[in-house]
Amino acid sequence: MTAQPSLEFGQIRKTSLASNILQDALTVFWGDWLDLRVRIAQVAASGLVSPLIYILAFGLGLGSALDSAMKPPVGNTYLDFILPGMVALSSMTISFGGTTFSICGERLYSKTFEEILLLPVHPLALFLGKMMAGVLRGLMTSASVILIALLFTRNLGFISPLFLLVLVLNCAVFSGLGVIVGLNVKSLEGVGLLNNFLIVPMSFLGATFFDPQTLPAILKFIVYLLPLTYTSTGLRAAAYLPLSQFPWYSIPVLLTVAIALSAIGAYQFSHQRD
């Protein structure tokens, strides 16, 4: 007769824990937002340089030659084809880089990170709060690239709910990765090294400029190991293709990666000592 009350009490405790973690995560996020809100224009523009260069060089320059030779697999022009990839690229770069440098600055220079570790909150809440700040950074920059895409294509698919869902998941993946990297690197040189060996190669190999379906099997296997590939193909399909042709597997893949990074990040916060 006591099994049912015990079960209900356990459910209440789990609900209360989840609610407390969310509230604490929002509190940590709010601390970062107070710093971000005075630099909104700077954050929004910081990730525009590379996408604009790629749009001018590849979309308008190389794209004009490619359009006369062949039609891209998605979109009417090569510029149309790469614009969703540019959104994915900008969100990845700023979500990762902004989060990493923010945590490194707190750990290595301002020495305020120890105060965060002393907060009486769950380690997962610390991770989620920092990750949400990274997601916001990525969305700010992505909004600028999306505006450019809308001006070029006048395609409202760039602001569809499915497009935005994939975009948020991509920001969550790379801001989560940025939190983990920021907790572990010993200097800003280490951040630059990881950026050169991880983010820069992924920028070109993550299906931003090409259709991965056209690759040989071994290269396709490598490309599909990269989370950016699922974002680029998902954003491209959400912008241009009907729902029946959307690669629905991209959403659980990105969600699984984000959850795995959350578990690693929570563990890292619970064992962080600096």
mmCIF file of all heavy atoms in Angstrom, residues 25 28-29 31-32 95 99 102-103 106 112-113 116 124-137 175-176 178-179 183 269:
data_model
loop_
_atom_site.group_PDB
_atom_site.id
_atom_site.type_symbol
_atom_site.label_atom_id
_atom_site.label_comp_id
_atom_site.label_asym_id
_atom_site.label_seq_id
_atom_site.Cartn_x
_atom_site.Cartn_y
_atom_site.Cartn_z
ATOM 1 N N ALA A 25 19.953 27.634 -13.981
ATOM 2 C CA ALA A 25 20.570 27.847 -15.287
ATOM 3 C C ALA A 25 20.203 29.215 -15.836
ATOM 4 O O ALA A 25 21.054 29.920 -16.403
ATOM 5 C CB ALA A 25 20.152 26.749 -16.259
ATOM 6 N N VAL A 28 22.331 31.836 -14.059
ATOM 7 C CA VAL A 28 23.684 31.907 -14.616
ATOM 8 C C VAL A 28 23.651 32.594 -15.974
ATOM 9 O O VAL A 28 24.506 33.435 -16.289
ATOM 10 C CB VAL A 28 24.282 30.488 -14.744
ATOM 11 C CG1 VAL A 28 25.643 30.531 -15.427
ATOM 12 C CG2 VAL A 28 24.412 29.843 -13.367
ATOM 13 N N PHE A 29 22.664 32.237 -16.792
ATOM 14 C CA PHE A 29 22.516 32.867 -18.104
ATOM 15 C C PHE A 29 22.306 34.374 -17.975
ATOM 16 O O PHE A 29 22.853 35.161 -18.748
ATOM 17 C CB PHE A 29 21.337 32.232 -18.843
ATOM 18 C CG PHE A 29 20.846 33.031 -20.009
ATOM 19 C CD1 PHE A 29 21.551 33.049 -21.201
ATOM 20 C CD2 PHE A 29 19.678 33.777 -19.917
ATOM 21 C CE1 PHE A 29 21.097 33.805 -22.279
ATOM 22 C CE2 PHE A 29 19.226 34.526 -20.980
ATOM 23 C CZ PHE A 29 19.941 34.537 -22.171
ATOM 24 N N GLY A 31 23.413 36.392 -15.771
ATOM 25 C CA GLY A 31 24.679 37.064 -15.500
ATOM 26 C C GLY A 31 25.463 37.328 -16.772
ATOM 27 O O GLY A 31 26.051 38.408 -16.937
ATOM 28 N N ASP A 32 25.472 36.371 -17.699
ATOM 29 C CA ASP A 32 26.149 36.575 -18.972
ATOM 30 C C ASP A 32 25.384 37.557 -19.851
ATOM 31 O O ASP A 32 25.980 38.319 -20.616
ATOM 32 C CB ASP A 32 26.308 35.237 -19.698
ATOM 33 C CG ASP A 32 27.492 34.444 -19.195
ATOM 34 O OD1 ASP A 32 27.971 34.755 -18.085
ATOM 35 O OD2 ASP A 32 27.936 33.503 -19.881
ATOM 36 N N SER A 95 29.065 30.651 -31.611
ATOM 37 C CA SER A 95 28.653 29.856 -30.444
ATOM 38 C C SER A 95 29.857 29.215 -29.781
ATOM 39 O O SER A 95 29.970 29.207 -28.547
ATOM 40 C CB SER A 95 27.647 28.776 -30.865
ATOM 41 O OG SER A 95 26.458 29.341 -31.321
ATOM 42 N N THR A 99 31.786 31.535 -26.597
ATOM 43 C CA THR A 99 31.675 30.831 -25.313
ATOM 44 C C THR A 99 33.042 30.473 -24.756
ATOM 45 O O THR A 99 33.315 30.652 -23.561
ATOM 46 C CB THR A 99 30.829 29.558 -25.488
ATOM 47 O OG1 THR A 99 29.562 29.898 -26.036
ATOM 48 C CG2 THR A 99 30.629 28.861 -24.152
ATOM 49 N N SER A 102 34.884 33.598 -23.563
ATOM 50 C CA SER A 102 34.246 34.151 -22.366
ATOM 51 C C SER A 102 34.692 33.396 -21.116
ATOM 52 O O SER A 102 35.071 34.009 -20.105
ATOM 53 C CB SER A 102 32.725 34.076 -22.517
ATOM 54 O OG SER A 102 32.083 34.460 -21.326
ATOM 55 N N ILE A 103 34.659 32.071 -21.184
ATOM 56 C CA ILE A 103 35.057 31.268 -20.022
ATOM 57 C C ILE A 103 36.553 31.382 -19.769
ATOM 58 O O ILE A 103 36.995 31.470 -18.623
ATOM 59 C CB ILE A 103 34.631 29.804 -20.225
ATOM 60 C CG1 ILE A 103 33.106 29.705 -20.232
ATOM 61 C CG2 ILE A 103 35.218 28.900 -19.130
ATOM 62 C CD1 ILE A 103 32.577 28.316 -20.471
ATOM 63 N N GLU A 106 37.253 34.565 -17.950
ATOM 64 C CA GLU A 106 36.885 34.483 -16.535
ATOM 65 C C GLU A 106 37.865 33.623 -15.751
ATOM 66 O O GLU A 106 38.161 33.921 -14.588
ATOM 67 C CB GLU A 106 35.469 33.910 -16.401
ATOM 68 C CG GLU A 106 34.383 34.816 -16.957
ATOM 69 C CD GLU A 106 33.019 34.149 -16.959
ATOM 70 O OE1 GLU A 106 32.963 32.928 -16.701
ATOM 71 O OE2 GLU A 106 32.018 34.837 -17.210
ATOM 72 N N THR A 112 37.321 35.589 -12.168
ATOM 73 C CA THR A 112 35.991 35.602 -11.574
ATOM 74 C C THR A 112 35.296 34.246 -11.675
ATOM 75 O O THR A 112 34.200 34.073 -11.142
ATOM 76 C CB THR A 112 35.105 36.659 -12.261
ATOM 77 O OG1 THR A 112 35.018 36.355 -13.674
ATOM 78 C CG2 THR A 112 35.691 38.051 -12.087
ATOM 79 N N PHE A 113 35.937 33.305 -12.339
ATOM 80 C CA PHE A 113 35.301 32.012 -12.559
ATOM 81 C C PHE A 113 35.149 31.233 -11.261
ATOM 82 O O PHE A 113 34.219 30.438 -11.106
ATOM 83 C CB PHE A 113 36.112 31.194 -13.569
ATOM 84 C CG PHE A 113 35.375 29.989 -14.084
ATOM 85 C CD1 PHE A 113 34.338 30.123 -14.977
ATOM 86 C CD2 PHE A 113 35.724 28.713 -13.668
ATOM 87 C CE1 PHE A 113 33.643 29.020 -15.445
ATOM 88 C CE2 PHE A 113 35.052 27.598 -14.136
ATOM 89 C CZ PHE A 113 34.007 27.753 -15.026
ATOM 90 N N ILE A 116 31.822 31.631 -9.710
ATOM 91 C CA ILE A 116 30.763 30.821 -10.326
ATOM 92 C C ILE A 116 30.772 29.409 -9.746
ATOM 93 O O ILE A 116 29.722 28.830 -9.456
ATOM 94 C CB ILE A 116 30.943 30.787 -11.852
ATOM 95 C CG1 ILE A 116 30.810 32.197 -12.426
ATOM 96 C CG2 ILE A 116 29.945 29.843 -12.511
ATOM 97 C CD1 ILE A 116 31.072 32.281 -13.910
ATOM 98 N N LEU A 124 25.019 20.829 -13.586
ATOM 99 C CA LEU A 124 24.324 20.871 -14.869
ATOM 100 C C LEU A 124 23.735 22.253 -15.125
ATOM 101 O O LEU A 124 23.708 22.727 -16.267
ATOM 102 C CB LEU A 124 23.222 19.812 -14.914
ATOM 103 C CG LEU A 124 22.415 19.719 -16.214
ATOM 104 C CD1 LEU A 124 23.321 19.444 -17.403
ATOM 105 C CD2 LEU A 124 21.333 18.658 -16.097
ATOM 106 N N ALA A 125 23.267 22.921 -14.060
ATOM 107 C CA ALA A 125 22.733 24.274 -14.207
ATOM 108 C C ALA A 125 23.825 25.249 -14.644
ATOM 109 O O ALA A 125 23.580 26.145 -15.462
ATOM 110 C CB ALA A 125 22.095 24.731 -12.895
ATOM 111 N N LEU A 126 25.040 25.084 -14.095
ATOM 112 C CA LEU A 126 26.156 25.924 -14.505
ATOM 113 C C LEU A 126 26.444 25.740 -15.996
ATOM 114 O O LEU A 126 26.627 26.711 -16.739
ATOM 115 C CB LEU A 126 27.396 25.591 -13.682
ATOM 116 C CG LEU A 126 27.348 25.922 -12.194
ATOM 117 C CD1 LEU A 126 28.598 25.400 -11.495
ATOM 118 C CD2 LEU A 126 27.209 27.418 -11.980
ATOM 119 N N PHE A 127 26.474 24.481 -16.420
ATOM 120 C CA PHE A 127 26.747 24.213 -17.827
ATOM 121 C C PHE A 127 25.646 24.782 -18.708
ATOM 122 O O PHE A 127 25.923 25.444 -19.717
ATOM 123 C CB PHE A 127 26.876 22.706 -18.063
ATOM 124 C CG PHE A 127 27.020 22.344 -19.516
ATOM 125 C CD1 PHE A 127 28.270 22.358 -20.117
ATOM 126 C CD2 PHE A 127 25.913 22.006 -20.277
ATOM 127 C CE1 PHE A 127 28.402 22.043 -21.450
ATOM 128 C CE2 PHE A 127 26.036 21.682 -21.618
ATOM 129 C CZ PHE A 127 27.295 21.705 -22.204
ATOM 130 N N LEU A 128 24.389 24.521 -18.355
ATOM 131 C CA LEU A 128 23.275 24.970 -19.188
ATOM 132 C C LEU A 128 23.215 26.496 -19.263
ATOM 133 O O LEU A 128 22.891 27.053 -20.314
ATOM 134 C CB LEU A 128 21.959 24.423 -18.641
ATOM 135 C CG LEU A 128 21.755 22.911 -18.773
ATOM 136 C CD1 LEU A 128 20.435 22.492 -18.133
ATOM 137 C CD2 LEU A 128 21.792 22.483 -20.236
ATOM 138 N N GLY A 129 23.515 27.178 -18.162
ATOM 139 C CA GLY A 129 23.509 28.636 -18.176
ATOM 140 C C GLY A 129 24.538 29.193 -19.135
ATOM 141 O O GLY A 129 24.253 30.107 -19.928
ATOM 142 N N LYS A 130 25.760 28.644 -19.087
ATOM 143 C CA LYS A 130 26.806 29.081 -19.998
ATOM 144 C C LYS A 130 26.477 28.706 -21.440
ATOM 145 O O LYS A 130 26.750 29.457 -22.381
ATOM 146 C CB LYS A 130 28.142 28.459 -19.581
ATOM 147 C CG LYS A 130 28.704 28.999 -18.286
ATOM 148 C CD LYS A 130 29.050 30.470 -18.422
ATOM 149 C CE LYS A 130 29.674 31.030 -17.172
ATOM 150 N NZ LYS A 130 30.000 32.479 -17.299
ATOM 151 N N MET A 131 25.895 27.520 -21.620
ATOM 152 C CA MET A 131 25.531 27.076 -22.962
ATOM 153 C C MET A 131 24.452 27.978 -23.556
ATOM 154 O O MET A 131 24.515 28.345 -24.735
ATOM 155 C CB MET A 131 25.044 25.633 -22.939
ATOM 156 C CG MET A 131 24.750 25.066 -24.313
ATOM 157 S SD MET A 131 23.915 23.463 -24.261
ATOM 158 C CE MET A 131 22.272 23.990 -23.761
ATOM 159 N N MET A 132 23.452 28.361 -22.762
ATOM 160 C CA MET A 132 22.394 29.225 -23.256
ATOM 161 C C MET A 132 22.933 30.582 -23.676
ATOM 162 O O MET A 132 22.463 31.172 -24.665
ATOM 163 C CB MET A 132 21.301 29.377 -22.197
ATOM 164 C CG MET A 132 20.433 28.142 -22.042
ATOM 165 S SD MET A 132 18.962 28.426 -21.014
ATOM 166 C CE MET A 132 19.709 28.598 -19.399
ATOM 167 N N ALA A 133 23.930 31.081 -22.949
ATOM 168 C CA ALA A 133 24.554 32.334 -23.361
ATOM 169 C C ALA A 133 25.239 32.170 -24.714
ATOM 170 O O ALA A 133 25.186 33.067 -25.564
ATOM 171 C CB ALA A 133 25.556 32.796 -22.303
ATOM 172 N N GLY A 134 25.876 31.019 -24.931
ATOM 173 C CA GLY A 134 26.500 30.750 -26.222
ATOM 174 C C GLY A 134 25.478 30.614 -27.337
ATOM 175 O O GLY A 134 25.702 31.067 -28.466
ATOM 176 N N VAL A 135 24.332 30.001 -27.026
ATOM 177 C CA VAL A 135 23.257 29.891 -28.013
ATOM 178 C C VAL A 135 22.774 31.279 -28.419
ATOM 179 O O VAL A 135 22.564 31.558 -29.610
ATOM 180 C CB VAL A 135 22.084 29.063 -27.447
ATOM 181 C CG1 VAL A 135 20.868 29.151 -28.353
ATOM 182 C CG2 VAL A 135 22.506 27.603 -27.278
ATOM 183 N N LEU A 136 22.638 32.160 -27.455
ATOM 184 C CA LEU A 136 22.192 33.519 -27.753
ATOM 185 C C LEU A 136 23.203 34.233 -28.639
ATOM 186 O O LEU A 136 22.819 34.940 -29.588
ATOM 187 C CB LEU A 136 21.979 34.298 -26.453
ATOM 188 C CG LEU A 136 21.503 35.743 -26.610
ATOM 189 C CD1 LEU A 136 20.150 35.775 -27.322
ATOM 190 C CD2 LEU A 136 21.402 36.430 -25.249
ATOM 191 N N ARG A 137 24.493 34.064 -28.358
ATOM 192 C CA ARG A 137 25.514 34.671 -29.218
ATOM 193 C C ARG A 137 25.380 34.173 -30.653
ATOM 194 O O ARG A 137 25.448 34.948 -31.607
ATOM 195 C CB ARG A 137 26.911 34.342 -28.684
ATOM 196 C CG ARG A 137 27.299 35.005 -27.381
ATOM 197 C CD ARG A 137 28.755 34.724 -27.060
ATOM 198 N NE ARG A 137 29.136 35.244 -25.750
ATOM 199 C CZ ARG A 137 29.103 34.536 -24.625
ATOM 200 N NH1 ARG A 137 28.699 33.273 -24.661
ATOM 201 N NH2 ARG A 137 29.462 35.073 -23.489
ATOM 202 N N SER A 175 28.057 25.684 -28.671
ATOM 203 C CA SER A 175 28.285 26.416 -27.431
ATOM 204 C C SER A 175 28.606 25.443 -26.297
ATOM 205 O O SER A 175 29.446 25.733 -25.438
ATOM 206 C CB SER A 175 27.059 27.261 -27.076
ATOM 207 O OG SER A 175 25.905 26.456 -26.890
ATOM 208 N N GLY A 176 27.966 24.255 -26.319
ATOM 209 C CA GLY A 176 28.320 23.228 -25.335
ATOM 210 C C GLY A 176 29.753 22.783 -25.491
ATOM 211 O O GLY A 176 30.479 22.604 -24.496
ATOM 212 N N GLY A 178 32.050 24.611 -26.756
ATOM 213 C CA GLY A 178 32.855 25.758 -26.321
ATOM 214 C C GLY A 178 33.011 25.818 -24.816
ATOM 215 O O GLY A 178 34.076 26.185 -24.308
ATOM 216 N N VAL A 179 31.952 25.466 -24.071
ATOM 217 C CA VAL A 179 32.045 25.440 -22.607
ATOM 218 C C VAL A 179 33.088 24.423 -22.167
ATOM 219 O O VAL A 179 33.946 24.710 -21.313
ATOM 220 C CB VAL A 179 30.672 25.105 -21.982
ATOM 221 C CG1 VAL A 179 30.820 24.895 -20.480
ATOM 222 C CG2 VAL A 179 29.674 26.216 -22.251
ATOM 223 N N LEU A 183 36.698 25.198 -20.288
ATOM 224 C CA LEU A 183 37.021 24.682 -18.958
ATOM 225 C C LEU A 183 38.360 23.959 -18.918
ATOM 226 O O LEU A 183 38.917 23.755 -17.831
ATOM 227 C CB LEU A 183 35.924 23.719 -18.494
ATOM 228 C CG LEU A 183 34.558 24.322 -18.180
ATOM 229 C CD1 LEU A 183 33.552 23.218 -17.878
ATOM 230 C CD2 LEU A 183 34.636 25.299 -17.019
ATOM 231 N N PHE A 269 32.156 20.503 -14.691
ATOM 232 C CA PHE A 269 31.901 21.536 -13.694
ATOM 233 C C PHE A 269 31.989 20.958 -12.272
ATOM 234 O O PHE A 269 32.477 21.628 -11.362
ATOM 235 C CB PHE A 269 30.521 22.160 -13.913
ATOM 236 C CG PHE A 269 30.562 23.420 -14.734
ATOM 237 C CD1 PHE A 269 30.041 23.432 -16.014
ATOM 238 C CD2 PHE A 269 31.099 24.585 -14.226
ATOM 239 C CE1 PHE A 269 30.066 24.591 -16.784
ATOM 240 C CE2 PHE A 269 31.140 25.749 -14.975
ATOM 241 C CZ PHE A 269 30.618 25.737 -16.261
#
